[in-house]
Amino acid sequence: MNLAIRDIRYHRGRFILTSIGLGLLLGVVMSMGGIYRGLFADALAVLNANQADLWVVQQDTNGPFAESSRIPEDIKYRVAAVPGVAEAAPLSFQTLQIDRQGKPFRFFLIGYELNNFGGPPAILAGRPIRQKHYEMVVAKAMQMELGATIHLGLHDYTVVGITGKIVSSGGDPAAYVTLADAQEIQFKKDNSAIRNDRQRIGANLSGVQSLTPSQAGFLQQNIAEITESTHIVNTVVAKLEPGASLQEVQERIKRWNHLRAISDAEQTAILTKGMIEKARMQLGLFRIILLIISAVIIALIIYTSTIDKIKVIATLKLIGAQNRVIVGMILQQSLLMGIIAYGIGYLLILLTYENFPRRIVLEPMDLQGLFAIVMVICTISSFVGIRKALKVQPAEALGG
Amino acid sequence: MYAIEVAGVTKIYGKGETAVTAIADATFQVKPGELVAILGPSGSGKTTLLTCIGLINEPTHGRLVIDGATVADEGWQPGFDLKRLRREKLGFIFQAHNLIPFLTARENVMIALEINQLPRTEAKSRATELLTTLNLGHRLDNYPTALSGGEAQRVAIARALANRPKVILADEPTAALDTENGKNVMALLKKLAVENHSAILVVTHDHRMVEGFDRIFEVRDGVIVKETQNIPTPVANNSGKGGDDPDAWIDTFGCL
């Protein structure tokens, strides 16, 4: 006869409530694990979507995600010409915040060249961008429908396609536009700003005595072209030819002095170890704290339950029950509580994780690991109750 | 052969100046089928004596023989599995029945059988049979909380009897019952002692409950001060039954 099951059957209300409480706690532990994995997935989403071997960025920066990086768009031609590089594509990244239905909404805008790589990896609905201007592909998390428009910069952009879970390292959903549009949104000034800039340059140059008026006019025009140019990108990504040496390509680009070539592995390290390290450590610490809390709660529940059963245990001992019967009852209850609580926690997360504001990635390995940890915690926690139970004297069954 | 032999059993708690003698030089024997009471006021040491005989407390001195096996002689005899002896030779009945609250009446009896390695199906059928014999056939699947005091105590008796022990030890089995139910329980114990040929040792402080016992030992301050034999049995009923006839007890004290 399984005494643990019989006790649970009799006290099922209490047991279920306790398991639900513990399950919620384990659900939080699972979600922490999921958020932790989600941080990685989010951080690497754009990286993985591009499948680039090399990220060419501004020298002495860890761009384009960890630090700001600005390089001329035409660097793409020089990068593409490096021996070993199969193709190169300029990309632009910026985080925008707009007002949507009265609430601030942040998203990550990616500009890419049509007919080049770096665009949305898969189209779940609609179509890819086909026109050079004013079309947009958004991530599912943007919660926009096909045909919807969004006003950015000076123009309205129409959603023509929906892509998957592409987010910035900060977890903001991504939207794709053409590079030209992205540059315009990022750098194009409105008319009054342009007029203001021209006047300021003119005023600065008017004091230059050594230039003739025609030379000053020519200089002003050139400076204005540079300052008003939108042909700036954050990075140029490159794919190498099969068999090409990554190091050699990196070295060659490094020699150009004003650029840095970051390999995909280095970029991954920058994103994971650098950008999300603190968040990762914090989540890890929370997980440990929550697991300790779970252990204390389980131990307390098992201990209280054992105290409630002192007379039962004494009676069992008096009628000759072996220690394994009593130990089995306590241990099985503890493990059952852990299993049921784990199940409740898992169900909870399974039903809700899609609705979390940040991505939750439930890795089977993590879940199995947590299950094993919960079982170990239940076993260790039950020792407190078992120790108490083994100390109970059969004589305690006697008397009133 | 005696079912219980107690020879010079002494139990002392503590040492030196703080030593307390709970039982001093207790000596008596109980035959199979005999119903014996240990009577005494609270704190007289009667439960201590019961725990010594029940292999729970080790006697400080003296010899203890259960069903022919010397289990203690100036300390526990080596080589005995006391738990096993308790399982196989002894049955316990408690003051407050001590049924396991999360087991049904039948499961409370089954647990004693299963602990003694009886297969589950056999345990179930034996528990059912025992409870039915004790007029609890309609209460098999009831939890202890749904049973009356008398019913619960009968389930406890069924549990004590389940393994057909040679010795049944009862600690104030009527303390939690009203007089009528208490007498019914005592009558049942008498009937079972005769039927099962078990020695039954009952600890009680209530003089009214020991009518019809074969012998009574009165304990004062840990010492057996008086032994009374052949207590008058209840008045025989119209059928002429009485004495050791359990039916006469049941007829006299009311239906179980």
Side-chain angles (χ1 to χ4, degrees):
Chain A
M1 187 186 304
N2 190 310
L3 291 173
I5 298 282
R6 294 297 194 286
D7 188 20
I8 290 168
R9 184 185 65 184
Y10 187 72
H11 295 112
R12 55 182 168 269
R14 189 175 71 178
F15 186 82
I16 290 168
L17 273 177
T18 309
S19 299
I20 288 173
L22 202 57
L24 292 174
L25 201 61
L26 290 178
V28 176
V29 176
M30 278 179 212
S31 70
M32 290 279 179
I35 292 169
Y36 171 77
R37 290 285 177 193
L39 279 180
F40 272 89
D42 283 353
L44 303 177
V46 176
L47 221 62
N48 293 336
N50 284 330
Q51 304 268 306
D53 297 311
L54 211 59
W55 294 72
V56 179
V57 297
Q58 190 179 326
Q59 195 180 36
D60 298 328
T61 70
N62 287 315
F65 305 109
E67 288 178 38
S68 166
S69 159
R70 280 187 176 195
I71 55 174
E73 184 186 337
D74 57 14
I75 291 290
K76 68 184 175 185
Y77 300 114
R78 293 180 66 189
V79 172
V82 172
V85 172
E87 50 185 330
L91 292 175
S92 153
F93 304 104
Q94 58 185 310
T95 299
L96 297 174
Q97 181 167 312
I98 57 166
D99 190 69
R100 199 164 81 171
Q101 291 163 350
K103 290 179 183 172
F105 180 76
R106 284 170 66 83
F107 65 98
F108 189 58
L109 191 72
I110 302 171
Y112 73 104
E113 272 188 339
L114 286 180
N115 307 319
N116 207 340
F117 71 100
I123 300 295
L124 303 179
R127 59 169 176 80
I129 296 172
R130 287 190 192 135
Q131 292 181 21
K132 201 172 178 183
H133 289 293
Y134 315 129
E135 286 190 348
M136 183 183 247
V137 168
V138 297
K140 204 176 165 186
M142 288 272 285
Q143 296 178 331
M144 291 183 74
E145 293 186 358
L146 293 174
T149 58
I150 186 167
H151 188 79
L152 300 172
L154 304 173
H155 305 285
D156 285 336
Y157 292 82
T158 305
V159 175
V160 296
I162 309 287
T163 187
K165 289 180 178 176
I166 305 294
V167 291
S168 70
S169 56
D172 300 318
Y176 287 86
V177 291
T178 62
L179 183 64
D181 282 348
Q183 287 168 329
E184 190 179 316
I185 292 165
Q186 193 169 8
F187 303 116
K188 189 81 174 177
K189 294 170 181 170
D190 59 27
N191 292 342
S192 58
I194 292 169
R195 278 196 294 271
N196 188 40
D197 277 354
R198 282 178 184 165
Q199 280 185 355
R200 197 169 66 242
I201 293 164
N204 286 340
L205 292 177
S206 63
V208 179
Q209 299 297 321
S210 57
L211 294 176
T212 62
S214 60
Q215 282 175 321
F218 181 74
L219 189 60
Q220 183 184 356
Q221 192 183 345
N222 272 289
I223 292 172
E225 270 178 22
I226 293 166
T227 54
E228 289 168 22
S229 169
T230 61
H231 293 286
I232 302 289
V233 294
N234 300 109
T235 183
V236 170
V237 287
K239 286 184 180 179
L240 301 188
E241 286 170 349
S245 166
L246 177 69
Q247 267 190 330
E248 280 177 22
V249 175
Q250 273 183 293
E251 283 300 318
R252 185 179 280 266
I253 294 172
K254 203 176 168 185
R255 285 203 295 271
W256 296 344
N257 290 331
H258 59 290
L259 295 173
R260 180 185 177 193
I262 302 172
S263 70
D264 190 52
E266 286 167 339
Q267 191 66 269
T268 301
I270 289 169
L271 283 168
T272 54
K273 289 182 185 161
M275 291 181 72
I276 60 170
E277 181 66 9
K278 279 184 184 163
R280 187 187 70 82
M281 283 171 70
Q282 195 154 349
L283 284 171
L285 195 65
F286 268 125
R287 288 180 86 189
I288 292 167
I289 290 169
L290 286 172
L291 282 172
I292 291 170
I293 292 170
S294 305
V296 171
I297 289 174
I298 294 169
L300 202 65
I301 291 165
I302 295 298
Y303 183 75
T304 312
S305 159
T306 308
I307 295 290
D308 286 348
K309 285 200 280 286
I310 290 290
K311 197 122 187 170
V312 169
I313 291 164
T315 304
L316 284 170
K317 285 188 171 184
L318 200 58
I319 63 176
Q322 300 88 337
N323 280 343
R324 64 180 159 81
V325 173
I326 293 155
V327 171
M329 175 174 71
I330 296 168
L331 187 60
Q332 284 165 12
Q333 260 184 9
S334 181
L335 291 174
L336 268 169
M337 188 181 292
I339 290 168
I340 292 171
Y342 181 89
I344 290 169
Y346 180 66
L347 198 68
L348 182 80
I349 290 301
L350 209 63
L351 293 174
T352 58
Y353 80 105
E354 288 283 5
N355 300 320
F356 273 66
R358 285 211 67 150
R359 191 197 312 233
I360 304 274
V361 178
L362 298 172
E363 291 278 352
M365 275 284 285
D366 288 352
L367 293 173
Q368 287 161 14
L370 179 64
F371 183 75
I373 290 169
V374 169
M375 291 298 100
V376 170
I377 285 174
C378 288
T379 307
I380 294 169
S381 302
S382 67
F383 287 166
V384 186
I386 287 170
R387 192 163 168 264
K388 179 73 187 171
L390 292 179
K391 281 185 177 174
V392 172
Q393 294 299 313
E396 289 182 50
L398 301 172
Chain B
M1 187 172 66
Y2 292 109
I4 306 169
E5 286 181 66
V6 178
V9 166
T10 300
K11 179 68 187 177
I12 301 168
Y13 290 107
K15 286 178 180 176
E17 288 181 5
T18 56
V20 175
T21 304
I23 290 291
D25 198 26
T27 301
F28 62 90
Q29 298 85 32
V30 184
K31 288 181 287 187
E34 204 176 7
L35 184 64
V36 173
I38 297 174
L39 194 64
S42 180
S44 59
K46 54 189 189 302
T47 300
T48 304
L49 182 59
L50 193 81
T51 58
C52 286
I53 298 168
L55 312 179
I56 298 164
N57 264 333
E58 185 178 10
T60 313
H61 300 295
R63 197 160 69 93
L64 184 64
V65 182
I66 304 289
D67 194 31
T70 304
V71 289
D73 193 353
E74 299 302 311
W76 295 129
Q77 287 290 89
F80 274 109
D81 180 350
L82 296 179
K83 279 187 181 174
R84 188 175 170 186
L85 273 176
R86 278 210 297 271
R87 252 190 335 259
E88 294 176 354
K89 304 281 186 190
L90 305 178
F92 288 91
I93 300 167
F94 308 97
Q95 182 176 326
H97 63 71
N98 281 22
L99 294 180
I100 297 170
F102 50 83
L103 299 182
T104 62
R106 178 159 45 195
E107 287 169 344
N108 261 288
V109 180
M110 282 171 69
I111 187 72
L113 293 161
E114 287 190 22
I115 282 171
N116 207 18
Q117 310 300 321
L118 199 71
R120 195 163 182 201
T121 46
E122 283 181 50
K124 189 171 183 179
S125 93
R126 175 144 176 74
T128 307
E129 184 191 321
L130 260 170
L131 289 169
T132 308
T133 307
L134 295 176
N135 268 347
L136 288 166
H138 61 300
R139 294 294 210 178
L140 295 175
D141 296 321
N142 283 113
Y143 285 102
T145 46
L147 303 174
S148 69
E151 286 172 333
Q153 199 57 296
R154 273 186 281 157
V155 176
I157 291 170
R159 183 176 63 188
L161 291 170
N163 288 309
R164 299 187 178 95
K166 295 289 180 187
V167 174
I168 292 175
L169 303 171
D171 179 38
E172 303 270 13
T174 60
L177 303 176
D178 56 40
T179 307
E180 190 186 342
N181 267 316
K183 285 186 174 178
N184 285 341
V185 165
M186 287 302 191
L188 178 62
L189 287 176
K190 176 70 184 170
K191 178 177 185 278
L192 296 170
V194 173
E195 278 183 3
N196 295 338
H197 214 53
S198 302
I200 300 184
L201 192 64
V202 177
V203 161
T204 182
H205 66 279
D206 192 347
H207 286 81
R208 294 171 300 169
M209 293 295 163
V210 296
E211 287 177 345
F213 275 53
D214 297 316
R215 281 187 294 157
I216 296 171
F217 295 105
E218 285 187 45
V219 182
R220 292 277 187 281
D221 299 326
V223 178
I224 296 174
V225 292
K226 187 179 173 187
E227 180 183 349
T228 313
Q229 297 209 23
N230 297 322
I231 301 300
T233 54
V235 178
N237 60 18
N238 292 341
S239 67
K241 291 177 179 175
D244 283 340
D245 186 345
D247 290 333
W249 280 75
I250 293 166
D251 289 345
T252 304
F253 292 119
C255 182
L256 292 167

